[in-house]
Amino acid sequence: MDHITNVNDGLYMATTKAPVNIAVVKYWGKTNEDLIIPANDSLSLTLSTEHLCATTTVAVGKKFREDRIWLNGKEESIRSARLQNCLHEIRKRSQEALRMQNDLPDYTGWNVHMCSVNNFPTSAGLASSAAGYACLVQSLGILFHIEGDLSGIARQGSGSACRSMYGGFVAWLKGTNPDGSDSVAKQIASSDHWPQMRVIILVASDAKKDTSSSHGMMRTMETSTLALHRVENVVPQRMKDMTGAILNRDFNKFAEIAMKESNQLHAVCLDSFPPIHYMNSASWDVVTLVHRYNRFYGTNKLAYSFDAGPNAFLFLLEESLPEVLAVVEYAFPTTARGVDFFRGSPAVIGKLSDELKNFMNISPQQDAVKFAIITHVGDGPKPHEGPDAHLLDVHGYPK
Amino acid sequence: MDHITNVNDGLYMATTKAPVNIAVVKYWGKTNEDLIIPANDSLSLTLSTEHLCATTTVAVGKKFREDRIWLNGKEESIRSARLQNCLHEIRKRSQEALRMQNDLPDYTGWNVHMCSVNNFPTSAGLASSAAGYACLVQSLGILFHIEGDLSGIARQGSGSACRSMYGGFVAWLKGTNPDGSDSVAKQIASSDHWPQMRVIILVASDAKKDTSSSHGMMRTMETSTLALHRVENVVPQRMKDMTGAILNRDFNKFAEIAMKESNQLHAVCLDSFPPIHYMNSASWDVVTLVHRYNRFYGTNKLAYSFDAGPNAFLFLLEESLPEVLAVVEYAFPTTARGVDFFRGSPAVIGKLSDELKNFMNISPQQDAVKFAIITHVGDGPKPHEGPDAHLLDVHGYPK
């Protein structure tokens, strides 16, 4: 009964925090839409919940008349097929858990109330479904006494959520079983494996998403004549190379593969019909800036990655952080510059040498970036405890 | 001696006009950089010289002390390897011609003066090398009495120039001979085969090219893991399908392949490392607009194609021209709108119905397009004659 709050004999509750993750070998396309089985393996970094996380409270109540869910303060439909799949799997696994340990209270027949919030602005276009589903599944797993890997359940909520079930550097293996049972996440290295790794998220001003990732990847798989070649012939080697780069802490190689993977994701989007377009002119300003920075040093000291939106995820080592922040500050001035521009970890902005500035030949882009979040690799979902931890009140309703 | 002006016994001259072409199955990448042998076949439409053309005068003079060339009023180095290859081939073929017809004046030992101008602004970022080399090679071919196909020589000046050696719909076959001797252009259909075909060129305001096509395609062939798959597995079928669409005058199919080819060219550019980026936000506005227009009609009535720059080439049938011009005028207002915005063929601007306008939901982009050229499919290079035709004076120097 660890991490479960027994409010009364008719109401149990658990709350967790779960991280977002950013892929450096990209997931884009499924072989099974219902089970969410991906067309290829992928690999991501789990980001610290200090700066970006979802928090979810799940309550199971004898008196609840139906399953209900509230996201960011608003009740949403419980009928979503993906949510139903997750709840179904949880209840099935719960029965198994009860058969193993019959001293546990059996409330698998009761209904659940679920309440989830993100600590980052949803308008920023940062993928929230991965953290959200990871958090939901982790909370449900605790509440229903489920032991072992939950990533296969999180996967059925939102594919990349399975990678948020672990901290550090995480692979999502597509698996080979048609039922998806071996399509799960595996930790490649823990969050303290490469402590110098830093991530800066540059939130683009115009971060509205035109094509959802689900629709986008479906269109790519159906129409791109390059996507299948990527899936079958390019990604397997990149998974090996990226795993090696991470295990060897080879930043130059890590950066190269991360950038090539981001570029290829957007290339197969462009090769879709009609073409899909997520990177905007601010994204391209970042690409240009990163390649010029690396050319100055003759090695990759900085990498970019873009998901299904214009926001840039920059990867770098701690030693480069002050200078890179100076470059970012110079390249993306904002009219409202202030304490709010750099968020997350404290920003120690270094000096931008004239030599570097002249070499990079940057044209500053006013207000192209709204704000930046400085963060690092972090752990997987964690129970969130304490008197005010729960998002649901003693009756099981949102506070 | 047809089309040759005998200025005096020591000075002969010939002038031609040659067209630009726009590929609908794209050329991007060589298997031999020196001989300019392409990695795949390509297919293009030759555009009318009425609106866009190069004009070149070539003179051969007993007293000329060296070969010289002037482009758009400025003398350029004669040392370019590509230019030397063309001159070398011309002189070789000229010897053969002389052996066949020994009543011709032999001036193969003399030097040449070459002078070429384009009738379109070079700043517009419209590829001028194809028309330029086609024109140069055609003029030299006339002057040196060379019979037969000259596209293999034009190819060595600028790959896509070989397609400008014919009018109408033209394929460039990569060939199989290592010496490039069968890498030549062939006419698929003449310029009057599909008289309803129209082309609108939307010249983007910010048309500066970052990466030259030569460097870009070399980078793609060296670094893209998708490009080889395109070349080997995608293009052959598209050549067949596009040839069929043209021969059957199937605009819906023609448009689909043209757009997919454009998208895939830019996809392999994005998959290059560092990535290559030619389409800007105005280009993407055009892409969105075209797909919405086609969705309104439930068939492809309009197609786009982009080369190594942000300018859009629109394809459409004559019947759609008035409405499409109305869409363009509405979508791309300019502060300096006037007679100068629509150039080329006379613009009869139709009515934009509220139904179409509402369906398309366009956000007009002020000054994103500088001007538009309305044109159509045209013929290959033609001799340019008459008292003022030549660009060189009676001494063989630029007028």
Side-chain angles (χ1 to χ4, degrees):
Chain A
M1 296 295 287
D2 271 0
H3 313 307
I4 300 179
T5 304
N6 180 354
V7 181
N8 59 55
D9 283 350
L11 185 63
Y12 298 84
M13 221 176 258
T15 299
T16 58
K17 281 183 184 290
V20 303
N21 70 76
I22 170 72
V24 288
V25 174
K26 296 291 192 186
Y27 155 53
W28 195 256
K30 304 177 182 68
T31 53
N32 185 314
E33 291 288 330
D34 297 325
L35 294 170
I36 312 191
I37 302 177
N40 58 258
D41 298 347
S42 55
L43 201 156
S44 60
L45 279 60
T46 295
L47 303 185
S48 171
T49 53
E50 273 178 71
H51 308 122
L52 296 169
C53 73
T55 306
T56 302
T57 297
V58 171
V60 60
K62 201 175 191 169
K63 294 185 183 159
F64 294 167
R65 302 176 73 163
E66 54 183 350
D67 293 336
R68 295 177 73 175
I69 188 165
W70 291 266
L71 299 180
N72 293 309
K74 189 166 162 285
E75 183 161 16
E76 301 282 343
S77 166
I78 199 78
R79 294 283 125 229
S80 133
R82 293 171 164 209
L83 182 55
Q84 288 298 323
N85 287 349
C86 286
L87 287 170
H88 176 78
E89 283 290 314
I90 287 284
R91 284 176 167 133
K92 204 172 70 181
R93 291 271 293 270
S94 171
Q95 301 286 5
E96 292 164 18
L98 285 169
R99 277 196 295 274
M100 308 282 282
Q101 295 178 262
N102 52 21
D103 57 331
L104 293 171
D106 177 4
Y107 38 64
T108 44
W110 301 2
N111 287 309
V112 293
H113 281 184
M114 300 164 279
C115 184
S116 187
V117 296
N118 299 319
N119 76 340
F120 50 93
T122 47
S123 69
L126 295 166
S128 53
S129 61
Y133 267 104
C135 208
L136 180 69
V137 168
Q138 184 73 15
S139 302
L140 288 166
I142 290 169
L143 200 56
F144 287 95
H145 325 295
I146 302 170
E147 306 273 319
D149 177 68
L150 294 169
S151 70
I153 304 178
R155 188 199 82 231
Q156 295 177 61
S158 174
S160 58
C162 74
R163 295 186 312 238
S164 277
M165 297 302 284
Y166 295 95
F169 301 81
V170 183
W172 173 14
L173 307 172
K174 63 176 177 164
T176 53
N177 299 342
D179 65 356
S181 54
D182 58 349
S183 184
V184 294
K186 301 272 183 206
Q187 191 181 62
I188 297 290
S190 67
S191 64
D192 56 2
H193 165 71
W194 200 349
Q196 299 82 10
M197 182 68 81
R198 291 292 176 277
V199 179
I200 307 172
I201 306 169
L202 302 179
V203 177
S205 292
D206 177 23
K208 163 179 79 69
K209 203 192 260 193
D210 276 332
T211 311
S212 77
S213 346
S214 282
H215 287 110
M217 56 179 84
M218 208 186 305
R219 193 191 296 171
T220 300
M221 294 304 279
E222 282 168 3
T223 62
S224 167
T225 54
L226 300 177
L228 197 64
H229 180 74
R230 157 174 168 72
V231 157
E232 292 179 350
N233 300 101
V234 180
V235 175
Q237 188 61 45
R238 290 212 173 139
M239 281 297 291
K240 283 182 201 156
D241 293 345
M242 183 52 103
T243 302
I246 290 167
L247 294 178
N248 297 324
R249 300 184 191 87
D250 178 347
F251 189 83
N252 179 51
K253 192 74 193 162
F254 170 90
E256 182 189 324
I257 304 169
M259 292 188 279
K260 287 182 170 176
E261 272 294 296
S262 175
N263 294 337
Q264 193 161 87
L265 161 64
H266 295 279
V268 296
C269 285
L270 216 168
D271 188 51
S272 307
F273 194 75
I276 306 161
H277 172 232
Y278 292 120
M279 293 169 73
N280 67 12
S281 66
S283 314
W284 279 101
D285 289 334
V286 173
V287 169
T288 303
L289 178 152
V290 169
H291 284 289
R292 286 188 189 164
Y293 187 79
N294 291 338
R295 207 182 316 141
F296 181 78
Y297 283 106
T299 183
N300 298 315
K301 293 186 69 160
L302 190 56
Y304 52 77
S305 188
F306 298 87
D307 273 348
N311 297 330
F313 292 78
L314 296 181
F315 302 95
L316 65 160
L317 296 179
E318 189 181 17
E319 60 184 24
S320 311
L321 187 60
E323 186 175 71
V324 168
L325 293 179
V327 169
V328 167
E329 186 176 54
Y330 177 75
F332 300 108
T334 60
T335 25
R337 175 80 68 193
V339 287
D340 270 326
F341 185 79
F342 287 116
R343 306 182 187 182
S345 301
V348 178
I349 302 170
K351 194 180 141 34
L352 178 57
S353 72
D354 286 341
E355 200 190 348
L356 176 58
K357 192 156 108 177
N358 294 337
F359 182 89
M360 289 184 68
N361 190 27
I362 298 167
S363 308
Q365 299 296 320
Q366 187 76 33
D367 293 320
V369 172
K370 201 155 52 180
F371 61 90
I373 303 167
I374 306 165
T375 187
H376 53 87
V377 178
D379 293 320
K382 284 275 167 61
H384 184 48
E385 287 165 308
D388 298 322
H390 299 309
L391 303 173
L392 296 172
D393 66 18
V394 293
H395 306 289
Y397 285 83
K399 285 180 178 169
Chain B
M1 297 294 285
D2 271 357
H3 312 307
I4 300 178
T5 303
N6 180 353
V7 182
N8 59 55
D9 284 349
L11 184 64
Y12 298 84
M13 221 175 259
T15 298
T16 58
K17 280 183 185 292
V20 303
N21 70 77
I22 170 72
V24 288
V25 174
K26 296 292 192 185
Y27 155 53
W28 195 256
K30 305 176 181 68
T31 54
N32 185 314
E33 291 288 330
D34 296 326
L35 294 170
I36 312 191
I37 302 177
N40 57 259
D41 296 348
S42 56
L43 201 158
S44 59
L45 277 62
T46 295
L47 303 185
S48 170
T49 53
E50 273 178 73
H51 307 122
L52 297 168
C53 73
T55 306
T56 302
T57 297
V58 171
V60 59
K62 200 173 192 171
K63 292 183 183 159
F64 294 167
R65 303 177 73 163
E66 53 184 351
D67 294 334
R68 294 177 73 175
I69 188 164
W70 292 264
L71 300 179
N72 293 310
K74 190 167 161 284
E75 184 162 13
E76 301 282 343
S77 166
I78 199 79
R79 294 284 125 228
S80 133
R82 293 170 163 209
L83 183 55
Q84 288 297 321
N85 286 349
C86 287
L87 289 171
H88 176 77
E89 283 291 315
I90 288 283
R91 284 177 167 133
K92 204 171 70 181
R93 291 271 293 271
S94 170
Q95 301 286 2
E96 292 163 17
L98 286 168
R99 276 196 297 274
M100 309 279 283
Q101 296 180 260
N102 52 21
D103 58 331
L104 293 171
D106 177 5
Y107 39 62
T108 45
W110 300 2
N111 287 308
V112 293
H113 281 184
M114 299 163 280
C115 184
S116 186
V117 295
N118 298 319
N119 76 339
F120 49 95
T122 48
S123 68
L126 296 166
S128 54
S129 61
Y133 267 104
C135 209
L136 180 69
V137 167
Q138 185 73 15
S139 303
L140 288 166
I142 289 169
L143 200 57
F144 286 96
H145 325 294
I146 302 169
E147 305 274 319
D149 177 68
L150 294 168
S151 71
I153 303 179
R155 188 199 81 232
Q156 294 178 62
S158 174
S160 58
C162 74
R163 294 187 312 237
S164 277
M165 297 302 283
Y166 294 96
F169 301 80
V170 183
W172 172 14
L173 306 172
K174 63 176 177 164
T176 53
N177 299 340
D179 65 357
S181 54
D182 57 349
S183 185
V184 294
K186 300 272 184 205
Q187 191 181 63
I188 298 288
S190 68
S191 63
D192 56 3
H193 165 70
W194 201 348
Q196 299 82 10
M197 182 68 82
R198 291 292 176 277
V199 178
I200 307 172
I201 307 170
L202 301 179
V203 177
S205 292
D206 176 24
K208 161 179 83 65
K209 202 193 264 194
D210 276 333
T211 311
S212 76
S213 353
S214 282
H215 286 109
M217 56 179 84
M218 209 187 306
R219 193 191 296 170
T220 299
M221 293 304 281
E222 282 169 2
T223 62
S224 167
T225 54
L226 301 177
L228 198 63
H229 180 74
R230 157 173 169 72
V231 158
E232 290 178 352
N233 301 101
V234 181
V235 176
Q237 189 61 44
R238 292 211 173 140
M239 280 297 291
K240 283 182 201 156
D241 293 345
M242 183 52 104
T243 303
I246 290 167
L247 294 179
N248 298 325
R249 299 185 193 89
D250 178 348
F251 189 83
N252 179 51
K253 193 73 193 161
F254 170 89
E256 181 189 325
I257 304 169
M259 292 188 280
K260 286 183 170 177
E261 273 293 297
S262 176
N263 294 336
Q264 192 163 85
L265 161 64
H266 296 278
V268 297
C269 284
L270 216 168
D271 189 51
S272 307
F273 194 76
I276 305 162
H277 171 234
Y278 292 120
M279 293 168 73
N280 67 14
S281 66
S283 315
W284 278 100
D285 290 334
V286 173
V287 169
T288 303
L289 178 151
V290 169
H291 285 290
R292 287 188 188 163
Y293 187 79
N294 290 338
R295 207 181 316 139
F296 180 79
Y297 284 106
T299 183
N300 297 316
K301 294 186 67 160
L302 190 56
Y304 53 77
S305 186
F306 298 87
D307 273 347
N311 298 329
F313 292 78
L314 297 181
F315 301 95
L316 66 159
L317 296 179
E318 190 181 15
E319 59 184 23
S320 311
L321 186 60
E323 186 175 70
V324 169
L325 293 180
V327 170
V328 168
E329 186 176 54
Y330 178 75
F332 301 107
T334 60
T335 26
R337 175 79 67 191
V339 287
D340 270 324
F341 185 79
F342 286 117
R343 305 182 188 182
S345 301
V348 178
I349 301 169
K351 194 182 141 33
L352 178 56
S353 72
D354 286 341
E355 199 191 348
L356 176 59
K357 192 157 110 179
N358 294 337
F359 182 90
M360 289 184 68
N361 189 27
I362 298 166
S363 307
Q365 299 295 321
Q366 187 76 31
D367 293 320
V369 172
K370 201 156 52 180
F371 61 89
I373 302 167
I374 306 165
T375 188
H376 53 88
V377 177
D379 293 318
K382 285 275 169 61
H384 184 50
E385 287 164 309
D388 298 321
H390 299 309
L391 302 174
L392 297 172
D393 64 18
V394 293
H395 307 289
Y397 285 83
K399 284 179 178 169

